[in-house]
Amino acid sequence: MSPLPCVPSAQSGKQARGLHVITWGCQMNVYDSARMTDVLRPLGYRAVDAPDDADMIILNTCHIRDRAAEKVFSELGRLRLVKEARAQAGHGTVLAVAGCVAQAEGREILARAPYVDIVLGPQTYHRLPEMVARAARAAGAVIETDFPVEQKFDFLPPEREVPAGGAAFLTIQEGCDKFCSFCVVPYTRGAEASRPVAAVLEEARRLVAHGVKEITLLGQNVNAYHGEGPDGAIWGLARLMAELADGIGVERIRYTTSHPRDMDGDLIAAHGDQPALMPFLHLPVQSGSDRVLAAMNRGHTAQEYRDLVMRLRAARPDLALSSDFIVGHPGETEDDFEQTMQLIRDVGFAQAYSFKYSPRPGTPASGAGGQVPEEVKDARLQKLQALLREQQDAFNAATVGQRVSVLFTGRGRKPGQVSGKSPYLQAVHVDGPDSLIGQVAEVDIVKLYTNSLGGVLTGETGKA
């Protein structure tokens, strides 16, 4: 094993160390990567842009996509060369694999990539400083993939690095008890657990104090949130968002990812009653066939999903929807697929994520009969994505001529341009000064691009 860098003390802070984090997957992984950076900061680690300059490299992985583990090993092969080159120059490098692939494939990672120093699951990244020290002392690999009794959030540093651009993620719930037949999340993230209300509010308060205008609340089943409130009662997501908006002053609120089974009446009403809640909801359905939904163990029917959408749009008529779709789940017939297409036509989506079914080891569907041939899945996915793209293009085209509030989060691709997000999570570009970054301004949408909108500033700034 190549030499590890010495571990700087939390007190001295004399020797800065480069940290490079590669993040794959969902917004929760983005949040986790940021908090791992926070945890390591007292040890002297600071973010660097390239792995070649890093004394520690963390690959934060996702197990949702097809061939996730093989992609990890391919990236590790590249990082091995970086680590060896740095060792030849006399620099030690800690190489860590985190996230859901680490949780599911920890022993296999160490067997196939013995140059990896640390393997840690999503529930243990608060232990990173201890793991780094153990790896340095023992000159051997450290693996932490247990589901600890203590909540990791209880051990994170209270301060966190606030991202530029006025928008931030905030994890409030983790884990899943739904056990969909195709999904590994219950096995890699554990059972559903919600953070206490006071902890969420305190983190949000610090974000707002640092200029954050928009907070996206994260969870594997975020609308299953059931955190203990300061009053001893259990708060649901709707009550939490009301306090974030009215008590803390968060101007724009989003939440993802939701499950139809956890969309209760209070949350539906919040979409009409709470101005801070953006009119965009990601609500995965996966299939439009009741037979496939039952095989997926989704716990709802296609008509129940349609009825739920009707209730949501009654509360908020301008609500835009996003969803997830899986084609080719074991046993899916051509008729099942056509029922999914019909649901898409009936509901209409502003955005969507769609995938071919791919087996995940240990999940019920991976051993099920009726596996759909790859060429059939390919054809169905292309047809489904064409319909979804048509709906997305129509939704974006309908925005042209409208005035929308945009939170500007960064510079655009062209000089003198800034970009941001509309309330419907559309990318919007305007000509304007950098001083707009982190601010909300009114924009007249004047042009439709392939994946974004062009606008003109109206001169009005303020709340969403």
Side-chain angles (χ1 to χ4, degrees):
M1 180 177 291
S2 57
L4 295 171
C6 65
V7 181
S9 73
Q11 287 76 31
S12 67
K14 291 181 179 179
Q15 190 173 20
R17 299 283 173 177
L19 172 67
H20 183 72
V21 184
I22 301 169
T23 307
W24 292 344
C26 65
Q27 295 98 326
M28 289 190 71
N29 267 17
V30 175
Y31 177 90
D32 284 355
S33 292
R35 297 319 309 267
M36 283 190 276
T37 302
D38 294 335
V39 165
L40 291 168
R41 190 175 297 111
L43 298 187
Y45 286 98
R46 298 293 183 268
V48 295
D49 294 332
D52 309 72
D53 302 322
D55 298 282
M56 183 171 185
I57 304 169
I58 302 175
L59 180 55
N60 194 8
T61 63
C62 174
H63 212 305
I64 298 300
R65 301 294 181 262
D66 190 18
R67 297 185 296 275
E70 290 308 313
K71 292 175 182 176
V72 169
F73 287 115
S74 176
E75 181 69 9
L76 284 175
R78 185 181 73 84
L79 294 176
R80 178 184 186 176
L81 299 178
V82 173
K83 183 172 181 175
E84 290 175 346
R86 283 179 52 83
Q88 291 173 5
H91 304 300
T93 309
V94 178
L95 180 56
V97 181
C100 291
V101 174
Q103 183 72 43
E105 310 279 350
R107 296 295 175 185
E108 181 70 10
I109 290 171
L110 294 183
R112 291 179 56 179
Y115 47 89
V116 169
D117 303 296
I118 297 172
V119 176
L120 66 153
Q123 303 305 324
T124 60
Y125 65 69
H126 59 293
R127 298 178 178 175
L128 253 178
E130 173 194 346
M131 295 179 214
V132 173
R134 283 165 54 194
R137 287 194 303 265
V142 174
I143 181 168
E144 288 274 5
T145 54
D146 295 332
F147 290 107
V149 175
E150 76 272 10
Q151 288 290 312
K152 68 183 180 186
F153 296 103
D154 295 339
F155 294 86
L156 293 173
E159 294 300 326
R160 56 175 283 195
E161 184 175 355
V162 178
F169 295 129
L170 200 170
T171 293
I172 64 170
Q173 182 271 343
E174 283 197 295
C176 181
D177 297 340
K178 302 297 189 292
F179 288 92
C180 295
S181 65
F182 53 83
C183 186
V184 297
V185 166
Y187 312 102
T188 59
R189 289 274 183 172
E192 288 181 357
S194 298
R195 296 178 67 185
V197 171
V200 173
L201 296 180
E202 182 57 31
E203 187 169 345
R205 191 175 288 109
R206 288 194 295 270
L207 291 171
V208 171
H210 284 87
V212 169
K213 300 286 196 300
E214 177 178 295
I215 292 178
T216 300
L217 305 175
L218 301 180
Q220 264 82 36
N221 283 303
V222 69
N223 56 339
Y225 178 80
H226 53 279
E228 182 179 357
D231 55 359
I234 299 301
W235 290 29
L237 181 58
R239 185 175 179 185
L240 176 68
M241 290 193 298
E243 183 61 26
L244 286 169
D246 302 331
I248 306 299
V250 181
E251 294 184 22
R252 293 162 67 118
I253 299 173
R254 304 182 189 272
Y255 63 92
T256 192
T257 292
S258 303
H259 196 291
R261 286 162 57 185
D262 295 316
M263 190 66 65
D264 61 26
D266 288 343
L267 188 51
I268 292 170
H271 280 274
D273 298 340
Q274 181 50 256
L277 183 54
M278 293 292 95
F280 181 89
L281 174 62
H282 185 66
L283 189 63
V285 64
Q286 307 299 356
S287 174
S289 162
D290 288 347
R291 198 177 66 83
V292 174
L293 288 170
M296 289 177 166
N297 194 36
R298 290 290 291 170
H300 62 82
T301 66
Q303 188 56 48
E304 286 170 343
Y305 184 87
R306 289 182 174 91
D307 292 343
L308 178 57
V309 169
M310 288 179 62
R311 293 175 62 195
L312 284 160
R313 285 178 169 158
R316 184 75 189 253
D318 65 336
L319 183 70
L321 288 173
S322 173
S323 195
D324 290 346
F325 294 92
I326 294 174
V327 301
H329 187 274
E332 183 188 69
T333 65
E334 198 63 39
D335 181 63
D336 292 325
F337 172 69
E338 179 51 40
Q339 290 179 50
T340 299
M341 295 288 283
Q342 188 58 50
L343 182 140
I344 294 171
R345 297 185 192 101
D346 292 345
V347 173
F349 294 94
Q351 289 184 22
Y353 301 92
S354 52
F355 315 96
K356 295 185 297 181
Y357 168 77
S358 58
R360 294 291 180 269
T363 58
S366 64
Q371 298 287 332
V372 178
E374 284 298 314
E375 61 272 18
V376 174
K377 288 191 283 188
D378 285 337
R380 290 177 185 173
L381 183 62
Q382 290 181 30
K383 187 176 179 181
L384 179 137
Q385 287 181 338
L387 176 58
L388 291 170
R389 184 71 204 200
E390 179 182 313
Q391 290 189 346
Q392 180 176 335
D393 289 347
F395 178 82
N396 288 338
T399 313
V400 176
Q402 294 187 22
R403 177 169 294 185
V404 299
S405 61
V406 175
L407 172 61
F408 290 99
T409 55
R411 293 176 177 172
R413 283 174 287 184
K414 298 179 180 179
Q417 189 181 71
V418 289
S419 64
K421 296 293 183 182
S422 78
Y424 307 103
L425 215 57
Q426 300 152 300
V428 179
H429 308 284
V430 304
D431 290 332
D434 286 356
S435 59
L436 278 171
I437 296 173
Q439 304 299 316
V440 176
E442 294 295 307
V443 173
D444 289 330
I445 304 299
V446 297
K447 191 165 185 178
L448 173 69
Y449 297 103
T450 303
N451 293 303
S452 63
L453 300 168
V456 176
L457 292 166
T458 68
E460 298 179 25
T461 59
K463 290 192 176 184

